[in-house]
Amino acid sequence: MTAVAPSVTTGPIRGSHKAYLEGPDGLRVPVHRIELSTGEHHDV
């Protein structure tokens, strides 16, 4: 069995863009919005 070293992505993620979630009192929380092949999105 061969060990695999984990890698860290530090650049942009293909198919994603920066978005903001709106919170109370005008609070905006930045997230990466990843567009899925189903037409939906996932915020991280």
Side-chain angles (χ1 to χ4, degrees), residues 4 10 21 26 36 40:
V4 176
T10 58
L21 298 179
L36 305 175
E40 299 177 3

Side-chain angles (χ1 to χ4, degrees), residues 2-22:
T2 306
V4 176
S7 63
V8 176
T9 302
T10 58
I13 300 170
R14 188 180 340 176
S16 74
H17 60 276
K18 190 171 192 176
Y20 294 89
L21 298 179
E22 300 292 329

Side-chain angles (χ1 to χ4, degrees), residues 17-23 26-33 41 43-44:
H17 60 276
K18 190 171 192 176
Y20 294 89
L21 298 179
E22 300 292 329
L27 178 70
R28 292 177 32 168
V29 180
V31 296
H32 278 281
R33 179 159 288 168
H41 64 270
D43 295 335
V44 291

